[in-house]
Amino acid sequence: MGWLQNTRRRLIAKLYKPLIRRHDRFIAPFKEDLFRGVAGAVLEIGPGPGSNLTYLPNVEHWVGVEPNRFMHAQIEAELSRLNLDGTILEGVAERLPFEDQTFDFVIGTLVLCSVASPADALAEIRRVLRPSGRYCFIEHVGAPRGTPLRRWQRRVRPIWRCCGDGCWPDRDTQESIGQAGFARVDYQEFRAPPGTLPAIVSPHICGSASQAD
Ligand SMILES: C[S@@+](CC[C@H](N)C(=O)[O-])C[C@H]1O[C@@H](n2cnc3c(N)ncnc32)[C@H](O)[C@@H]1O
């Protein structure tokens, strides 16, 4: 990895938590609801600084796969603060270093906007989930097609991706999850209110996808 990439990742790791603080506060009730019942062996893709760990008191063992190794110290600190059993690995969701059917739950928040291939990441999520397993997600997504917001998302995409660590503002992630082969997908749509995130990434989905009906 080049020094420029390292410097960029180090900076993101430093700035991410303060930048996302207001969104974190807004999203807390969604997470409490979504992660209630998450237990057993849990994989989190793209945990960033580990902000979701506080919602996972019943987890037996947590594994995080996070490509930005400069985030890892914050995750370790959070694991130890919460006295949780966990392991953090450097890697990407598109190539998960686990056997088939390893986890009871896979969770991910604000991650599929950034992965290189949502389809590959979702195929990997399905592969590592047990037959009774569930994938729980919160993602910001593309606005409905044909709306002014969707056109703005398209226009700003190049600069947004450049400044936002590869984040796409206009991915139809609900369609990707729907096409991934899960037996059942349930989600709600909502908008993050002004002051929490820029309007360009305000449309969100929150829900879960099950391997079995
Ligand atoms: C917007 S942050 C979200 C962090 C955290 N999940 C949250 O909700 O605050 C996106 C995270 O996804 C990670 N990420 C980017 N590409 C990834 C990939 N291909 N696989 C797994 N994680 C990835 C980034 O390093 C970053 O930590």
Side-chain angles (χ1 to χ4, degrees):
M1 194 195 297
W3 69 267
L4 190 62
Q5 171 91 315
N6 263 335
T7 307
R8 198 173 58 83
R9 287 192 161 177
R10 204 189 289 272
L11 193 67
I12 288 163
K14 213 177 170 72
L15 295 180
Y16 183 73
K17 244 175 141 165
L19 283 174
I20 202 79
R21 188 159 290 140
R22 294 174 92 171
H23 182 263
D24 268 348
R25 272 204 292 273
F26 160 72
I27 212 88
F30 291 87
K31 289 187 175 177
E32 272 160 22
D33 219 35
L34 181 67
F35 295 145
R36 190 172 300 132
V38 171
V42 176
L43 167 67
E44 178 162 359
I45 55 164
S51 317
N52 290 332
L53 290 168
T54 193
Y55 301 97
L56 307 173
N58 301 319
V59 164
E60 235 165 69
H61 185 72
W62 175 94
V63 182
V65 171
E66 169 54 60
N68 185 346
R69 64 189 165 87
F70 299 106
M71 295 278 195
H72 291 196
Q74 295 177 62
I75 297 172
E76 298 282 6
E78 196 62 357
L79 283 168
S80 123
R81 185 183 75 82
L82 295 163
N83 201 21
L84 286 178
D85 180 30
T87 311
I88 181 70
L89 302 175
E90 192 173 341
V92 292
E94 296 94 321
R95 281 186 311 280
L96 293 172
F98 310 109
E99 303 278 315
D100 296 358
Q101 304 186 7
T102 301
F103 296 99
D104 299 300
F105 287 87
V106 176
I107 69 169
T109 59
L110 310 181
V111 178
L112 291 184
C113 54
S114 301
V115 303
S117 165
D120 289 352
L122 286 160
E124 279 291 85
I125 289 170
R126 283 204 60 216
R127 183 184 66 75
V128 301
L129 269 175
R130 295 183 176 143
S132 58
R134 192 142 54 92
Y135 164 49
C136 299
F137 54 84
I138 297 176
E139 294 290 343
H140 72 79
V141 295
R145 292 190 184 95
T147 59
L149 180 56
R150 180 65 175 232
R151 285 192 284 280
W152 274 109
Q153 288 179 326
R154 172 72 193 84
R155 274 183 209 125
V156 303
R157 188 205 288 162
I159 181 86
W160 190 265
R161 289 202 65 213
C162 185
C163 303
D165 197 23
C167 165
W168 292 62
D170 58 344
R171 275 193 167 154
D172 293 311
T173 299
Q174 58 278 59
E175 286 179 15
S176 303
I177 297 172
Q179 291 161 5
F182 288 101
R184 182 180 172 150
V185 180
D186 298 293
Y187 64 87
Q188 58 174 309
E189 297 174 307
F190 63 95
R191 290 269 175 118
T196 57
L197 275 187
I200 212 80
V201 286
S202 57
H204 280 58
I205 56 170
C206 169
S208 65
S210 312
Q211 293 280 62
D213 256 329

